[in-house]
């Protein structure tokens, strides 16, 4: 378990949930205690065949919102929900790669990906190669739970047949697709 979810609890309430519910809780930056659950890499999108058919019929599909509902396959093939969080960017990259999409657009809270984020020497990136993205990941340039999962998802998509990824804010999507803003990752 590593991904915090839900509300903050006092230490006393955290101990109660641990004893009563079997939850794993961790102290979160002096703000209280939060439940933590696993955040595994998604292996499949259960609804992919239906999504594929809807797209074949030219129907706009909104899928893997919030990463989707995590399930595990049990004996006999039945699916059961589990306490976990599926990263939305990883799920989107997986689905886009399986659908053989050319372009993956990742909507986020910044205009462009940056190195040295929040520092005086911050530099926004218009274009980012796979090699540069890997190097910056190794340097720790992208924060876990923030830009790191987006870059990892972009790399996954590009490594599995995608042609390009754009990362930008929602209100800039049209301009970014036209090549006027956003960070463009290419093979």
């Amino acid at each position: 378990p590593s991904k915090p979810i839900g509300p903050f609890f006092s230490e006393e309430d955290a101990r109660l949930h641990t004893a009563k519910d079997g939850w794993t809780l961790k102290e979160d930056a002096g703000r209280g205690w939060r439940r933590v659950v696993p955040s595994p890499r998604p292996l499949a999108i259960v609804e992919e065949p239906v999504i594929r058919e809807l797209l074949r019929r030219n129907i706009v599909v909104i899928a893997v919102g919030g990463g989707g509902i995590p399930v595990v396959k049990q004996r006999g093939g039945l699916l059961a929900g589990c306490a976990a969080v599926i990263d939305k960017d990883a799920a989107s990259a997986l689905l886009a790669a399986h659908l053989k999409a050319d372009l993956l657009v990742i909507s986020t809270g910044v205009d462009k990906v940056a190195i040295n984020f929040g520092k005086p020497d911050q530099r926004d990136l218009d274009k980012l190669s796979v090699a540069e993205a890997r190097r910056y990941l190794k340097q720790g340039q992208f924060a876990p739970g923030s830009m790191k999962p987006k870059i990892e998802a972009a790399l996954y998509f590009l490594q599995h047949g995608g042609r390009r990824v754009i990362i930008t804010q929602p209100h800039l999507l049209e301009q970014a697709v036209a090549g006027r803003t956003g960070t463009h990752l290419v093979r």
Side-chain angles (χ1 to χ4, degrees), residues 99-119:
L99 295 174
K100 298 187 181 352
D102 292 328
L103 170 66
L104 173 63
V105 178
I106 299 176
S107 175
T108 190
V110 294
D111 293 1
K112 297 178 181 183
V113 175
I115 56 171
N116 301 321
F117 183 75
K119 298 177 182 173

Side-chain angles (χ1 to χ4, degrees), residues 3 9 41 43 47 53 55 58 76 97 106 109 114 118 123 128 133-134 140 142 154 158 161 183:
K3 186 81 169 177
F9 295 99
R41 176 165 291 287
L43 302 176
E47 300 85 356
E53 179 58 22
L55 291 172
N58 293 317
I106 299 176
R123 184 166 54 102
L128 192 57
R134 285 186 183 136
F142 307 123
L158 293 172
T183 297

